[in-house]
Amino acid sequence: MQAHVVDFLLALAMLGLGWRIVATEGPFRAVVLFITFGLVVALGWVRLGAVDVALAEAALGSGVTGALLLFAYRDLERHGLGFERARGRRMRLVLGVLSAGLGAAVAAAVVRVQSRHAPLAEAVTSRIDQSGVGNPVTAVLLNFRGYDTLLEVGVLLAALLAVFALRPAVASGGIPKTGDPGLADGLVRVTTPVAIVVSGYLVWAGAYVPGGAFQAGAVSGAMLLLLVWTGHLEGRGFAGFGWRALATAGPMVFALVSVGTIPVSGGLLHYPHDAAGTLILIIELGITVSTAATLVLLCTGAMSLHRRGPR
Amino acid sequence: MTLSLLYGLTGAALVALGVHGVILHAHPLRRVLALNVAGAAVFLLLVSFTRRDPGVDAVPQAMVLTGIVVTVAATAVALTLARCTGRNGRDEDEPR
């Protein structure tokens, strides 16, 4: 497909924002630019036809990462950590030349591989009927290459464990919330039910059209974070058993299903054909819950969230 | 110009920008940001390498999806580490 004028504008916006993220003054502005960058990249994914990726980029790459960065920014600023360092002119020149060289080398590679044949697409299309779902990306994620995804939820869990372990060393001043919620409070009353519906839809529809467990989990997680920011929920103490159970639900369900089907199908992560669709949905529901819980815990530094009582 | 070539070349330029930023900055937040820019660029490259009409190959799409989730997890750990090490490593690292 030939590039449309929209694509050139998106590419320019990506380059411009990427440049400003690296070159702008001060970390706060860079964080805000990065969130915008993520959304522009998500539009680029839509143009490339990768809608599943676009959803993940908008929800995780831009949204949740943005929240993580803002939490970290506040903490670093409050404790006077992190400083900018001016590099010498000669150093900057050398660095500029080297980076330009790297960019040119990668660009040459991009031009070279354009005409190569991509055989995996045909392999996926020809076997999609056996996968139990209709969306090829979900079929690859949870059936054909389910092992990758099993390890992926393992990585999320490992990251959470690292944050648990580091928690005593981080002097966190609690979770930031807006002083006067004002408009945000009204907004949250509208977005919370919408987020619940969207999250459920993404999981359910992910079997046939773009969507899926990670995107749905990110939407639910973001909803919880908004409730924290507007003061409806508050963080108190270390995440207890309930939160840990939610965070491990996905890996547990996934592992149980993959081991439990061995006697029937004869191999790890081989689902019986007629039950594949149902099993994938069960795994996806587990991953959704644990992705939401894990992302919230990662953002809040493993704090337990409670309904805010009357003061 | 085809879509995959355009976004591939954009990815190439962004990889360079991201790596540049990682080396240029001392502020941990700026480094994590630059690394995330480079990461997004690598994902663009991966899809541009494999995109053929009529659409995107599902396998690289799934890999990029996995990659985005792993990036978020790694970013969370990096930022938590920055909050710890910043506190201890400040004295040696601070410019005089």
PDB file of all heavy atoms in Angstrom, chain A residues 263-280:
ATOM      1  N   PRO A 263      -2.881 -34.194  29.603  1.00  0.00           N
ATOM      2  CA  PRO A 263      -3.389 -35.566  29.449  1.00  0.00           C
ATOM      3  C   PRO A 263      -4.313 -35.720  28.246  1.00  0.00           C
ATOM      4  O   PRO A 263      -4.360 -36.784  27.633  1.00  0.00           O
ATOM      5  CB  PRO A 263      -4.177 -35.803  30.745  1.00  0.00           C
ATOM      6  CG  PRO A 263      -3.733 -34.771  31.695  1.00  0.00           C
ATOM      7  CD  PRO A 263      -3.226 -33.626  30.911  1.00  0.00           C
ATOM      8  N   VAL A 264      -5.054 -34.654  27.896  1.00  0.00           N
ATOM      9  CA  VAL A 264      -6.012 -34.748  26.786  1.00  0.00           C
ATOM     10  C   VAL A 264      -5.303 -34.600  25.446  1.00  0.00           C
ATOM     11  O   VAL A 264      -5.529 -35.368  24.513  1.00  0.00           O
ATOM     12  CB  VAL A 264      -7.099 -33.659  26.925  1.00  0.00           C
ATOM     13  CG1 VAL A 264      -8.199 -33.885  25.900  1.00  0.00           C
ATOM     14  CG2 VAL A 264      -7.666 -33.646  28.337  1.00  0.00           C
ATOM     15  N   SER A 265      -4.433 -33.577  25.352  1.00  0.00           N
ATOM     16  CA  SER A 265      -3.885 -33.253  24.031  1.00  0.00           C
ATOM     17  C   SER A 265      -2.446 -33.729  23.846  1.00  0.00           C
ATOM     18  O   SER A 265      -1.935 -33.721  22.739  1.00  0.00           O
ATOM     19  CB  SER A 265      -3.956 -31.739  23.816  1.00  0.00           C
ATOM     20  OG  SER A 265      -3.253 -31.090  24.856  1.00  0.00           O
ATOM     21  N   GLY A 266      -1.799 -34.117  24.931  1.00  0.00           N
ATOM     22  CA  GLY A 266      -0.488 -34.719  24.798  1.00  0.00           C
ATOM     23  C   GLY A 266       0.676 -33.760  24.723  1.00  0.00           C
ATOM     24  O   GLY A 266       1.785 -34.175  24.393  1.00  0.00           O
ATOM     25  N   GLY A 267       0.479 -32.473  25.008  1.00  0.00           N
ATOM     26  CA  GLY A 267       1.619 -31.569  24.989  1.00  0.00           C
ATOM     27  C   GLY A 267       1.332 -30.292  25.735  1.00  0.00           C
ATOM     28  O   GLY A 267       0.168 -29.896  25.871  1.00  0.00           O
ATOM     29  N   LEU A 268       2.382 -29.645  26.231  1.00  0.00           N
ATOM     30  CA  LEU A 268       2.207 -28.386  26.953  1.00  0.00           C
ATOM     31  C   LEU A 268       1.670 -27.330  25.981  1.00  0.00           C
ATOM     32  O   LEU A 268       2.207 -27.174  24.885  1.00  0.00           O
ATOM     33  CB  LEU A 268       3.551 -27.931  27.533  1.00  0.00           C
ATOM     34  CG  LEU A 268       3.504 -26.728  28.467  1.00  0.00           C
ATOM     35  CD1 LEU A 268       2.800 -27.070  29.759  1.00  0.00           C
ATOM     36  CD2 LEU A 268       4.909 -26.229  28.753  1.00  0.00           C
ATOM     37  N   LEU A 269       0.614 -26.636  26.400  1.00  0.00           N
ATOM     38  CA  LEU A 269       0.004 -25.566  25.610  1.00  0.00           C
ATOM     39  C   LEU A 269      -0.588 -26.047  24.291  1.00  0.00           C
ATOM     40  O   LEU A 269      -0.706 -25.282  23.340  1.00  0.00           O
ATOM     41  CB  LEU A 269       1.016 -24.438  25.356  1.00  0.00           C
ATOM     42  CG  LEU A 269       1.346 -23.606  26.584  1.00  0.00           C
ATOM     43  CD1 LEU A 269       2.617 -22.824  26.393  1.00  0.00           C
ATOM     44  CD2 LEU A 269       0.212 -22.649  26.911  1.00  0.00           C
ATOM     45  N   HIS A 270      -0.930 -27.331  24.236  1.00  0.00           N
ATOM     46  CA  HIS A 270      -1.724 -27.810  23.099  1.00  0.00           C
ATOM     47  C   HIS A 270      -3.144 -27.948  23.623  1.00  0.00           C
ATOM     48  O   HIS A 270      -3.395 -28.765  24.496  1.00  0.00           O
ATOM     49  CB  HIS A 270      -1.250 -29.195  22.647  1.00  0.00           C
ATOM     50  CG  HIS A 270       0.072 -29.163  21.970  1.00  0.00           C
ATOM     51  ND1 HIS A 270       0.375 -29.942  20.887  1.00  0.00           N
ATOM     52  CD2 HIS A 270       1.191 -28.438  22.225  1.00  0.00           C
ATOM     53  CE1 HIS A 270       1.610 -29.702  20.492  1.00  0.00           C
ATOM     54  NE2 HIS A 270       2.130 -28.791  21.296  1.00  0.00           N
ATOM     55  N   TYR A 271      -4.055 -27.142  23.102  1.00  0.00           N
ATOM     56  CA  TYR A 271      -5.424 -27.251  23.586  1.00  0.00           C
ATOM     57  C   TYR A 271      -6.180 -28.250  22.726  1.00  0.00           C
ATOM     58  O   TYR A 271      -5.926 -28.333  21.529  1.00  0.00           O
ATOM     59  CB  TYR A 271      -6.148 -25.899  23.506  1.00  0.00           C
ATOM     60  CG  TYR A 271      -5.364 -24.733  24.030  1.00  0.00           C
ATOM     61  CD1 TYR A 271      -5.211 -23.589  23.269  1.00  0.00           C
ATOM     62  CD2 TYR A 271      -4.769 -24.777  25.296  1.00  0.00           C
ATOM     63  CE1 TYR A 271      -4.484 -22.504  23.741  1.00  0.00           C
ATOM     64  CE2 TYR A 271      -4.052 -23.693  25.770  1.00  0.00           C
ATOM     65  CZ  TYR A 271      -3.909 -22.565  24.989  1.00  0.00           C
ATOM     66  OH  TYR A 271      -3.195 -21.500  25.444  1.00  0.00           O
ATOM     67  N   PRO A 272      -7.147 -28.974  23.357  1.00  0.00           N
ATOM     68  CA  PRO A 272      -8.037 -29.801  22.525  1.00  0.00           C
ATOM     69  C   PRO A 272      -8.852 -28.898  21.605  1.00  0.00           C
ATOM     70  O   PRO A 272      -9.307 -27.834  22.032  1.00  0.00           O
ATOM     71  CB  PRO A 272      -8.950 -30.488  23.548  1.00  0.00           C
ATOM     72  CG  PRO A 272      -8.499 -30.073  24.897  1.00  0.00           C
ATOM     73  CD  PRO A 272      -7.446 -29.045  24.784  1.00  0.00           C
ATOM     74  N   HIS A 273      -9.019 -29.305  20.340  1.00  0.00           N
ATOM     75  CA  HIS A 273      -9.594 -28.404  19.332  1.00  0.00           C
ATOM     76  C   HIS A 273     -10.947 -27.819  19.696  1.00  0.00           C
ATOM     77  O   HIS A 273     -11.169 -26.636  19.581  1.00  0.00           O
ATOM     78  CB  HIS A 273      -9.708 -29.127  17.980  1.00  0.00           C
ATOM     79  CG  HIS A 273      -8.385 -29.227  17.320  1.00  0.00           C
ATOM     80  ND1 HIS A 273      -8.228 -29.569  16.004  1.00  0.00           N
ATOM     81  CD2 HIS A 273      -7.146 -29.037  17.804  1.00  0.00           C
ATOM     82  CE1 HIS A 273      -6.942 -29.593  15.709  1.00  0.00           C
ATOM     83  NE2 HIS A 273      -6.269 -29.269  16.789  1.00  0.00           N
ATOM     84  N   ASP A 274     -11.860 -28.700  20.156  1.00  0.00           N
ATOM     85  CA  ASP A 274     -13.221 -28.193  20.371  1.00  0.00           C
ATOM     86  C   ASP A 274     -13.319 -27.294  21.598  1.00  0.00           C
ATOM     87  O   ASP A 274     -14.247 -26.507  21.713  1.00  0.00           O
ATOM     88  CB  ASP A 274     -14.224 -29.355  20.451  1.00  0.00           C
ATOM     89  CG  ASP A 274     -13.651 -30.551  21.190  1.00  0.00           C
ATOM     90  OD1 ASP A 274     -12.433 -30.509  21.493  1.00  0.00           O
ATOM     91  OD2 ASP A 274     -14.386 -31.514  21.468  1.00  0.00           O
ATOM     92  N   ALA A 275     -12.369 -27.381  22.517  1.00  0.00           N
ATOM     93  CA  ALA A 275     -12.438 -26.560  23.730  1.00  0.00           C
ATOM     94  C   ALA A 275     -11.527 -25.343  23.649  1.00  0.00           C
ATOM     95  O   ALA A 275     -11.496 -24.521  24.571  1.00  0.00           O
ATOM     96  CB  ALA A 275     -12.075 -27.395  24.947  1.00  0.00           C
ATOM     97  N   ALA A 276     -10.771 -25.194  22.542  1.00  0.00           N
ATOM     98  CA  ALA A 276      -9.743 -24.152  22.470  1.00  0.00           C
ATOM     99  C   ALA A 276     -10.311 -22.758  22.731  1.00  0.00           C
ATOM    100  O   ALA A 276      -9.749 -21.978  23.498  1.00  0.00           O
ATOM    101  CB  ALA A 276      -9.046 -24.207  21.118  1.00  0.00           C
ATOM    102  N   GLY A 277     -11.471 -22.463  22.099  1.00  0.00           N
ATOM    103  CA  GLY A 277     -12.057 -21.128  22.243  1.00  0.00           C
ATOM    104  C   GLY A 277     -12.371 -20.807  23.691  1.00  0.00           C
ATOM    105  O   GLY A 277     -12.030 -19.727  24.200  1.00  0.00           O
ATOM    106  N   THR A 278     -13.002 -21.759  24.393  1.00  0.00           N
ATOM    107  CA  THR A 278     -13.368 -21.550  25.793  1.00  0.00           C
ATOM    108  C   THR A 278     -12.120 -21.400  26.663  1.00  0.00           C
ATOM    109  O   THR A 278     -12.048 -20.506  27.517  1.00  0.00           O
ATOM    110  CB  THR A 278     -14.185 -22.766  26.301  1.00  0.00           C
ATOM    111  OG1 THR A 278     -15.108 -23.135  25.289  1.00  0.00           O
ATOM    112  CG2 THR A 278     -14.910 -22.447  27.576  1.00  0.00           C
ATOM    113  N   LEU A 279     -11.157 -22.281  26.448  1.00  0.00           N
ATOM    114  CA  LEU A 279      -9.941 -22.222  27.263  1.00  0.00           C
ATOM    115  C   LEU A 279      -9.232 -20.889  27.081  1.00  0.00           C
ATOM    116  O   LEU A 279      -8.757 -20.281  28.051  1.00  0.00           O
ATOM    117  CB  LEU A 279      -9.000 -23.378  26.890  1.00  0.00           C
ATOM    118  CG  LEU A 279      -9.490 -24.769  27.302  1.00  0.00           C
ATOM    119  CD1 LEU A 279      -8.558 -25.834  26.767  1.00  0.00           C
ATOM    120  CD2 LEU A 279      -9.581 -24.860  28.827  1.00  0.00           C
ATOM    121  N   ILE A 280      -9.181 -20.417  25.832  1.00  0.00           N
ATOM    122  CA  ILE A 280      -8.514 -19.134  25.563  1.00  0.00           C
ATOM    123  C   ILE A 280      -9.241 -18.006  26.287  1.00  0.00           C
ATOM    124  O   ILE A 280      -8.614 -17.130  26.887  1.00  0.00           O
ATOM    125  CB  ILE A 280      -8.414 -18.880  24.042  1.00  0.00           C
ATOM    126  CG1 ILE A 280      -7.359 -19.811  23.448  1.00  0.00           C
ATOM    127  CG2 ILE A 280      -8.073 -17.427  23.747  1.00  0.00           C
ATOM    128  CD1 ILE A 280      -7.202 -19.720  21.958  1.00  0.00           C
TER     129      ILE A 280
END
